[in-house]
Amino acid sequence: MKIVVQKFGGTSVATQAARDQVVKRIIQAKEEGQSPVVVISAIGRKGDPYATDTLLELMTEAGSNVPKRERDLLLSCGEVISCTIISALLTKAGYPARALTGGQAGIITDAEFGDARIIEVLPEPLLGILKEGFIPIVAGFQGKTPSGDITTLGRGGSDTTATAIGAALDAKAVEIFTDVEGVMTADPHLVGEAHILDVVTYEEVAQLAYQGAKIVHPRALELAMQYNIPLHVRSTFANEPGTLVTRGVHCPGRLKLGPDRLITGIAHLSNIVQFKVRLPKEDKAKETRLFKTLADVGISIDLINVFPEMKIFTIAEADLPKAYQELEQAEFEVTVTQGLAKVSVVGAGMRGVPGVMARVVEVLNGAGVEILQTADSHATISCLVRSEDTQKAICALHEGFGLGK
Ligand code: ADP
Ligand code: ASP
Ligand code: MG
């Protein structure tokens, strides 16, 4: 059996015309002699009736302390709605299909509601359905705990459902169908000059994803990388081959394990808040308490700079009320700057190459973008900028590193 996992994102199932296209893609795989296992996201995006954000909003009247278990049960409904519709459309077209929740498809997770990790995928339910001649249509973004509670996998988690199933069923490929042509040098909705990357390594896309490019969920990439599953990222609405994400770049007669390029692309993350906390130099206990206070309430920090009298870091804007309250209560002297974004130059090939930071500074200064803070790793240089400068910064860096078409 040539199993191929096909995952369709929210915009790919948002309209009747889009759903017809999805059905066509699945039928095409079947007609080519493959055995498609399909993963579907909730219909549409923010504002659409059954989108994940819309379901989330339904809970706002219940306040901010809704039990996470209940919240997950509600959020899981978006994907259940969309997978039943696609299943019904396929069956009507003469290709019998069967819709399944994540749990019914054998996806077992831990009990970290809202951000659950897949601990096991039982292959039997999906293999059984394939053997009976049905096309399995799985609700993405969800699983169940060993005791049967429904969990969700974190925003964008349908990609993870797809690669986890791909690994469990030893699929020959996982296809991520979305609303753009493939993995590009920047978000094409922000950078008109962004162009498609035909072949990229798992590491390159993972770095883009960690820095905010939501084209594929980072955890999905980790699984694809671990189990060496070829990943195709392509448009539901065009026939182009899209991007192949793989272990190495295949050249005639050899397999190159590293990319040629210095820079893969520019990624960004919006809605960031910077904290500056002044502390007496000698008060080491308070320094420890600062980071522990945030960790204890589950707040993740980024862009961390620790100086003897000043600690600087960023958090997601959504965590601001909680972080501020906790630090005030613990009597820290805090300065908060809101309305920021992180723009990152990403490239696994930049490791050890001098001059990348110099170019970043030159380009952003030239564009009149003030850099508020920076951080770097072996494959990224990130700059904190004001939200209103985000697009200017991305476009300038994209051009400055010669990534244009
Ligand atoms: P889906 O609903 O299909 O999962 P997502 O919205 O999660 O789609 O991801 C696709 C979106 O990712 C695109 O519409 C695009 O705006 C965004 N994106 C961000 N960075 C990139 C990039 N480097 N290449 C392609 N798309 C990107
Ligand atoms: N519907 C979920 C979300 O919006 C999962 C996904 O689309 O991958 O985050
Ligand atoms: Mg997505």
Side-chain angles (χ1 to χ4, degrees):
M1 215 171 353
K2 269 202 249 161
I3 294 177
V4 58
V5 179
Q6 298 185 305
K7 179 258 167 176
F8 296 91
T11 46
S12 301
V13 287
T15 62
Q16 200 176 334
R19 292 190 284 272
D20 286 345
Q21 188 61 24
V22 166
V23 167
K24 248 200 220 160
R25 293 258 179 226
I26 301 168
I27 292 175
Q28 192 184 341
K30 189 89 181 144
E31 290 300 322
E32 284 169 3
Q34 309 187 72
S35 300
V37 173
V38 180
V39 175
I40 304 281
S41 285
I43 288 177
R45 284 196 181 146
K46 209 171 185 142
D48 291 326
Y50 310 107
T52 306
D53 282 304
T54 311
L55 299 176
L56 251 176
E57 264 170 35
L58 287 174
M59 274 292 189
T60 48
E61 69 186 84
S64 57
N65 283 330
V66 177
K68 287 185 171 176
R69 178 187 171 280
E70 271 59 32
R71 218 179 65 134
D72 268 11
L73 194 50
L74 172 65
L75 291 191
S76 70
C77 297
E79 269 70 10
V80 173
I81 291 171
S82 51
C83 81
T84 51
I85 293 170
I86 296 297
S87 172
L89 289 173
L90 267 170
T91 305
K92 178 171 162 249
Y95 292 81
R98 193 161 282 171
L100 301 121
T101 64
Q104 287 171 333
I107 295 177
I108 310 299
T109 73
D110 63 17
E112 193 59 49
F113 293 103
D115 194 24
R117 279 196 176 252
I118 298 176
I119 48 180
E120 196 179 2
V121 180
L122 308 172
E124 293 81 11
L126 289 171
L127 289 177
I129 286 171
L130 284 170
K131 271 192 199 125
E132 283 176 53
F134 291 94
I135 303 174
I137 315 290
V138 182
F141 172 59
Q142 56 181 269
K144 69 172 182 194
T145 64
S147 60
D149 282 324
I150 289 181
T151 52
T152 64
L153 309 178
R155 299 306 305 270
S158 296
D159 297 331
T160 312
T161 306
T163 53
I165 289 176
L169 301 187
D170 201 14
K172 78 178 206 355
V174 172
E175 297 183 308
I176 305 282
F177 285 99
T178 184
D179 64 336
V180 291
E181 286 170 60
V183 180
M184 307 188 69
T185 48
D187 186 339
H189 291 125
L190 292 181
V191 183
E193 292 293 299
H195 71 90
I196 185 156
L197 297 160
D198 297 330
V199 184
V200 278
T201 62
Y202 296 117
E203 192 191 353
E204 286 180 287
V205 189
Q207 289 298 342
L208 282 171
Y210 291 132
Q211 299 306 329
K214 61 176 184 164
I215 180 80
V216 186
H217 195 287
R219 224 173 263 169
L221 284 157
E222 284 163 19
L223 283 171
M225 185 159 21
Q226 192 177 346
Y227 293 95
N228 200 19
I229 308 164
L231 210 64
H232 297 267
V233 183
R234 50 193 295 211
S235 166
T236 304
F237 311 105
N239 275 327
E240 311 313 319
T243 300
L244 170 64
V245 190
T246 177
R247 190 160 52 98
V249 181
H250 292 266
C251 304
R254 63 200 176 113
L255 170 69
K256 281 178 60 200
L257 290 179
D260 273 335
R261 49 188 162 250
L262 183 67
I263 307 299
T264 314
I266 313 297
H268 72 282
L269 206 55
S270 307
N271 303 324
I272 289 179
V273 179
Q274 184 194 50
F275 273 63
K276 287 186 179 161
V277 184
R278 188 169 288 286
L279 288 181
K281 197 170 166 178
E282 57 286 352
D283 197 346
K284 293 297 165 203
K286 200 162 180 186
E287 180 178 276
T288 307
R289 194 148 50 82
L290 167 67
F291 293 108
K292 216 169 163 320
T293 302
L294 294 169
D296 286 349
V297 289
I299 292 176
S300 160
I301 60 176
D302 190 20
L303 288 176
I304 307 154
N305 292 130
V306 174
F307 305 100
E309 289 175 3
M310 179 68 83
K311 322 294 152 190
I312 307 178
F313 55 86
T314 61
I315 62 167
E317 205 161 65
D319 289 331
L320 175 59
K322 197 177 211 172
Y324 194 75
Q325 186 192 336
E326 294 292 328
L327 294 183
E328 267 232 305
Q329 250 172 30
E331 296 182 345
F332 285 99
E333 194 192 317
V334 180
T335 311
V336 176
T337 310
Q338 296 188 61
L340 306 177
K342 183 171 81 162
V343 176
S344 303
V345 176
V346 175
M350 73 164 76
R351 196 172 306 171
V353 177
V356 182
M357 183 62 184
R359 185 78 185 127
V360 168
V361 173
E362 183 186 13
V363 166
L364 292 182
N365 282 341
V369 174
E370 189 178 8
I371 303 171
L372 303 171
Q373 204 184 331
T374 63
D376 67 287
S377 76
H378 65 283
T380 56
I381 290 180
S382 301
C383 298
L384 192 65
V385 301
R386 291 189 185 83
S387 293
E388 59 269 26
D389 286 339
T390 311
Q391 187 159 4
K392 202 175 4 165
I394 301 171
C395 290
L397 290 168
H398 194 264
E399 202 192 322
F401 281 96
L403 296 173
K405 282 177 185 160

